[in-house]
Amino acid sequence: MNTPSGNLPLPVDDAALAFQDLEEFVVSLDRILSRIGAGADPVILVDYLAERRVPARLAHLRGLFGDLLESAIGAEAVEEMAEEGFVYSDDTGHDSHHRRQD
C-alpha cells in the first residue's frame, strides 16, 4: 500500500496525551526488558501491562489515530493498513496474520 500524504487535524490535547502515553511505554518497556535480560522475573512485564492498563491505553491510541486516518483516507484504506501490520502468533499457528518486514 502507498503511504497517504497530507495532514490530519489532531487536537493538541490529544497529541500531548498520546505522546505522554507513548513516552511512558517506550521508556518503561526498555527498562523492563533490560531488567528481564539481566535476570529479573518476567512477571514484571505482565505486572506493568496490567497495572498501567497498557492494552486499553494502546487501544485508545489506535482508535484515535484510526478515526483520524479513516476521515482522511477512508475505512477501506485503514483496514488495508491494519492488515499489513504484524500480529503476534503462537507456535501452533493460531492468530496468524500478515507480517510486515521492518
Side-chain angles (χ1 to χ4, degrees):
M1 170 178 195
N2 291 332
T3 303
S5 62
N7 295 313
L8 297 174
L10 180 62
V12 172
D13 288 349
D14 287 341
L17 290 173
F19 176 78
Q20 287 175 324
D21 280 350
L22 292 171
E23 178 69 10
E24 174 191 334
F25 302 152
V26 168
V27 172
S28 296
L29 290 171
D30 180 62
R31 290 178 180 175
I32 290 167
L33 293 174
S34 291
R35 290 184 180 131
I36 291 171
D41 187 339
V43 77
I44 63 174
L45 175 58
V46 174
D47 289 346
Y48 167 71
L49 294 173
E51 291 170 9
R52 297 296 299 159
R53 300 178 37 256
V54 173
R57 291 165 61 198
L58 286 170
H60 172 76
L61 291 173
R62 179 186 61 196
L64 174 70
F65 288 109
D67 289 348
L68 286 168
L69 284 168
E70 190 173 307
S71 69
I73 63 174
E76 189 173 309
V78 172
E79 182 66 28
E80 185 178 326
M81 290 173 71
E83 289 294 320
E84 291 177 355
F86 174 85
V87 173
Y88 172 80
S89 176
D90 62 22
D91 292 337
T92 62
H94 296 121
D95 302 322
S96 61
H97 200 282
H98 298 284
R99 301 186 193 273
R100 179 179 63 222
Q101 298 293 320
D102 290 328

